[in-house]
Amino acid sequence: MAPMATHPLTVGFDLDMTLIDSRPGIHAAYLALSAETGVWIDADLAVTRLGPPLERELAHWFPDEQIQEMGDRYREIYPTYAIEPTLALPGAREAVAAVQELGGRAIVVTAKHEPNAKLHLAHLGIAPDEVIGWLWAEAKAEALREHGASVYVGDHTGDVRGAHTAEALAVAVPTGPCDAAELREAGADVILDDLTAFPDWLRGYSRNQLEPAVTSRK
């Protein structure tokens, strides 16, 4: 009998407010853009709405015809202002490592400009196997399907939708703009207080996934 094909566990993670607290850095980048353009941007308000693509936020402050230009400029100055102040959220490094310790692959799927996402992860010593940028909400399913992810971890209702579109388990952490009630209402399959609880949850999930396969071989 031919051996049963096995597929490595692949877990996707969102970036902003799931793995990293990028609010201080994004706040600084918005203030710099505001100073450069002379256009007032309420950076305090902007960092409470992280998750959707940058252009959605810029639309609150700039006319439509300037959004693309301002987005390009924001991404250009972002490394200067946003990388150093950004922090890893509690449990982020351990969550990614937990997947890899089980022989799995950890990927980051984010709406952020991909080069800047990679700068954040390198600066903070978080080492996923792959980083895919420029995808938001349901569009994240493209990368999740391509990499065979069975779990996606995020902090936003858009992340829940992305997971479900990819037919992956939606694991949510209320560490961003959406609280546990919103995430639950959006259909999150699992809600953890933060990523410090993720390694234990993952070990239990992995055991449960293996048991049916072991039983079927008997």
Side-chain angles (χ1 to χ4, degrees):
M1 181 182 296
M4 181 179 292
T6 58
H7 302 280
L9 169 70
T10 300
V11 176
F13 292 90
D14 176 52
L15 184 63
D16 291 295
M17 302 313 300
T18 298
L19 291 174
I20 66 173
D21 184 353
S22 50
R23 290 173 298 183
I26 290 174
H27 190 277
Y30 276 130
L31 290 182
L33 184 66
S34 178
E36 182 178 300
T37 61
V39 174
W40 182 71
I41 299 173
D42 188 341
D44 292 336
L45 177 59
V47 297
T48 69
R49 305 191 285 217
L50 300 184
L54 170 65
E55 285 74 15
R56 289 199 191 179
E57 185 60 43
L58 293 177
H60 292 288
W61 315 110
F62 295 94
D64 290 348
E65 64 272 15
Q66 292 183 15
I67 290 174
Q68 185 61 55
E69 178 188 356
M70 292 301 103
D72 290 345
R73 182 56 182 156
Y74 173 93
R75 293 181 179 102
E76 185 178 3
I77 66 175
Y78 189 94
T80 300
Y81 295 97
I83 304 302
E84 187 68 33
T86 292
L87 305 171
L89 281 165
R93 296 181 185 89
E94 295 82 357
V96 169
V99 179
Q100 296 163 335
E101 286 165 6
L102 288 172
R105 299 181 73 250
I107 66 173
V108 171
V109 184
T110 174
K112 189 179 288 295
H113 183 53
E114 190 174 300
N116 289 340
K118 290 177 177 178
L119 287 175
H120 275 304
L121 293 163
H123 178 73
L124 293 171
I126 301 172
D129 297 281
E130 196 80 34
V131 180
I132 305 99
W134 304 302
L135 296 174
W136 159 243
E138 288 84 354
K140 291 187 175 188
E142 299 170 18
L144 297 175
R145 286 197 190 104
E146 180 183 347
H147 291 273
S150 58
V151 176
Y152 185 61
V153 185
D155 66 283
H156 199 283
T157 56
D159 298 323
V160 175
R161 300 199 306 273
H164 287 166
T165 302
E167 299 182 343
L169 197 73
V171 176
V173 285
T175 48
C178 302
D179 62 25
E182 290 176 273
L183 294 165
R184 189 175 297 108
E185 185 176 351
D189 300 297
V190 177
I191 298 177
L192 306 173
D193 288 342
D194 58 32
L195 287 182
T196 62
F198 182 80
D200 282 345
W201 174 84
L202 182 67
R203 285 188 284 269
Y205 169 80
S206 183
R207 282 194 301 269
N208 290 337
Q209 294 301 300
L210 287 172
E211 284 174 3
V214 171
T215 301
S216 70
R217 292 190 184 99
K218 292 182 179 177

